[in-house]
Amino acid sequence: MNAVMISIAGLSMRLSSGGRPVNVLSDISLEVPARQFLAIAGPSGSGKSTLLGLIAGLDRPTAGRITVGGVEVTRLGEDALARFRLNTIGYIFQSFHLIPTLTALENVAVPLELAGERDALRRARELLAEVGLAERAHHYPVQLSGGEQQRVAVARAVSRRPPVLLADEPTGNLDSATGKQIIDLLLALNRNLGSTLILVTHDAALAAHADRLVLLRDGRIVGDEPVNGVTP
C-alpha cells in the first residue's frame, strides 16, 4: 500500500451568487495514495473543477484542510503557494492555457526557467519529442491543432517531474480519437514519473482507465470505488 499523497478533511466551499450563498462543495473527505490514478466524475456543476483547483492551491476553501505530500496547502501564504505549485503540481486545463506569444518550445520551458534550471530549452525539446511534437517546437499555439496544443500543455505540466498531476477535463475540447491519444499519453507519463494522477471528467469511458473512481453530485461524494479491470 502506497503512502497517502493527498489528504482532504472536512472540505467545504461556499460562494455567493446573486447575493445568496451557494454550497459548491460540502464536507469532502478523501485520501489518495501516492501513484494512484483517481478519476473524479459527475454532472456539470457538481464541484469537480472546484475540488481540483483547491488541491492545487488555486483557491481557498471556506472550511477544511488539504495536505499534499505532507504540506498543508490550506495554511500556505501566497509566496509559499506559488513555490508549492511550481515544485509539486502539474496542472492541465481543458482550454490548454498556453501563452499565445510564445512558441511550443518556449511554453514548455516556462516552468523550468522559473525554477532556475540552466538547461531549460534542452529539457523542453526532449519533452516535446516525448509527446511527438519535436518538429512543431517553433510553432505558436495558433499554428497548432487542439490536440497538439494539449500535448504541449501536457509536456509543460510534467516538465518539473511533479509528484502530483492534475487534469481538468483535458479532452473536453478534443474529438474522441485525439482525446484517447491524450489519455494514453497521460497514462504513459504517469507511469514513467510515478506521480499521483487526478483526472476530472464527465466521460465514463475516460474514467474507466483509472484505478479508482470518485463520483460527485451537488458538491458531495456519492460514490468511491475501485474501477473493475484496472490494477492499481
Side-chain angles (χ1 to χ4, degrees), residues 82-208:
R83 288 193 298 273
F84 161 77
R85 283 193 292 267
L86 182 63
N87 295 320
T88 308
I89 302 290
Y91 205 104
I92 302 160
F93 298 88
Q94 177 178 343
S95 53
F96 321 136
H97 280 223
L98 299 179
I99 300 170
T101 55
L102 299 183
T103 64
L105 179 67
E106 291 165 341
N107 265 283
V108 176
V110 165
L112 298 165
E113 290 169 341
L114 287 173
E117 295 197 20
R118 284 179 293 180
D119 292 333
L121 287 176
R122 179 185 60 78
R123 174 69 182 142
R125 283 191 187 91
E126 292 173 353
L127 287 158
L128 282 176
E130 284 183 36
V131 300
L133 289 177
E135 296 179 356
R136 309 288 271 166
H138 298 293
H139 288 71
Y140 290 91
V142 71
Q143 298 171 305
L144 302 173
S145 69
E148 288 170 336
Q149 289 186 64
Q150 192 60 296
R151 279 191 274 166
V152 173
V154 169
R156 181 182 60 186
V158 302
S159 64
R160 297 267 297 137
R161 300 178 178 87
V164 176
L165 195 55
L166 306 176
D168 188 2
E169 300 273 13
T171 63
N173 287 333
L174 307 175
D175 62 70
S176 57
T178 307
K180 185 180 185 307
Q181 291 174 359
I182 294 297
I183 292 301
D184 289 344
L185 176 62
L186 279 173
L187 289 172
L189 289 169
N190 184 56
R191 283 192 296 269
N192 294 339
L193 289 167
S195 56
T196 305
L197 172 60
I198 301 183
L199 172 78
V200 160
T201 184
H202 62 265
D203 187 333
L206 294 188

